[in-house]
Amino acid sequence: MKARAVIFTGNSISHEDAKKILRAKYQPPIRRFQLEKFVQQGYKVMGIIDGIFFDRAAVGHREILSALNAGVKVVGGASMGALRASELDTHGMIGVGKIYEWYRDGVLESDDEVAVSTNPDTFEPISVPLVNIRETLKAALAAGFVSEKEHDDLLELAINTYYPDRSYLGLTKEGTKKGLIPEEKRNILLDFCLNSEVDVKRQDAILVLETVKKLIEEAET
């Protein structure tokens, strides 16, 4: 019997883009009490990328453990998947990507790092995740667009901004207003952030898809 995969995503990578990498059953970001149904339907591989945070119940540890105990391979990365994999990798959940490693190693701790506000119809993010802001500001520093102090001050501003309100436009506007960067840098930095964003969540989501694809191929040989 062929291994069948179900993938929970929509924020970190769209279903349309994900389908170009892996043929699978695609579901919206995962909520609590969903996994059991797919275990019963015979899915042997599950990829958890995105999930519900804060306002509704997130996927529980016991649900994932139950799937693992049923012989299902569960891969996590990028967002909710990275969080749960960092907590359950010792129980057999497979974690991939930078964000998973950051949570696993204690570099990041808060769920807020990967949370975004989304379009309820398309699941497309309408705010910028803090992990992406971190990496993009680091790239701006390396490219000489900001000084080390400006980098540190802008990152602190982003950290202290409520997650649905995080955006590069808001960050550069508020940063200028607070005197963290000079007015003449504002548009240059905004242009860099928008056009050269380091989308670490998307990169890690692709890794989840590639890992699931490999697991399916291994199961079929």
Side-chain angles (χ1 to χ4, degrees):
M1 186 179 81
K2 287 190 175 183
R4 295 194 298 156
V6 58
I7 309 290
F8 300 90
T9 191
N11 306 152
S12 301
I13 189 169
S14 68
H15 289 183
E16 184 182 12
D17 287 350
K19 286 172 184 174
K20 295 172 186 173
I21 299 167
L22 172 71
R23 288 183 63 187
K25 182 175 182 65
Y26 285 93
Q27 291 289 297
I30 193 165
R31 304 187 307 273
R32 185 161 293 183
F33 305 131
Q34 281 191 305
L35 285 189
E36 177 65 24
K37 177 178 76 172
F38 293 99
V39 172
Q40 290 177 353
Q41 288 176 3
Y43 287 92
K44 298 299 180 187
V45 187
M46 295 180 179
I48 299 176
I49 297 173
D50 298 308
I52 297 302
F53 284 93
F54 306 129
D55 55 339
R56 284 166 287 174
V59 59
H61 299 80
R62 287 182 181 180
E63 298 172 73
I64 296 172
L65 289 171
S66 179
L68 291 169
N69 290 336
V72 177
K73 293 186 184 300
V74 185
V75 181
S79 193
M80 176 59 76
L83 272 166
R84 289 294 180 261
S86 72
E87 296 157 342
L88 297 173
D89 51 4
T90 55
H91 296 277
M93 186 172 177
I94 301 165
V96 297
K98 279 186 181 180
I99 299 168
Y100 154 70
E101 291 171 358
W102 290 336
Y103 278 118
R104 179 196 65 193
D105 299 340
V107 176
L108 302 179
E109 293 182 354
S110 173
D111 297 6
D112 166 79
E113 291 277 349
V114 291
V116 290
S117 182
T118 61
N119 180 316
D121 298 320
T122 65
F123 317 115
E124 185 181 0
I126 52 179
S127 64
V128 180
L130 186 53
V131 285
N132 284 10
I133 294 175
R134 283 183 182 277
E135 291 298 281
T136 303
L137 286 178
K138 192 188 294 182
L141 174 62
F145 286 100
V146 291
S147 68
E148 197 162 331
K149 184 176 187 336
E150 288 167 344
H151 164 275
D152 294 350
D153 289 344
L154 287 170
L155 180 56
E156 186 177 359
L157 177 60
I159 290 169
N160 291 328
T161 301
Y162 186 39
Y163 81 90
D165 300 329
R166 289 180 183 138
S167 71
Y168 294 117
L169 177 61
L171 183 64
T172 52
K173 184 178 180 180
E174 193 66 16
T176 305
K177 186 178 174 183
K178 290 181 178 295
L180 306 182
I181 52 170
E183 180 66 46
E184 58 268 23
K185 275 193 181 181
R186 176 180 163 184
N187 289 335
I188 296 169
L189 180 59
L190 177 60
D191 183 66
F192 176 85
C193 290
L194 293 175
N195 296 305
S196 303
E197 181 186 23
V198 182
D199 193 346
V200 67
K201 281 185 75 172
R202 182 183 173 88
Q203 292 168 4
D204 284 5
I206 290 169
L207 269 178
V208 171
L209 298 173
E210 289 173 343
T211 303
V212 168
K213 188 175 184 180
K214 189 177 176 184
L215 289 170
I216 292 171
E217 289 168 353
E218 288 173 355
E220 290 176 352
T221 55

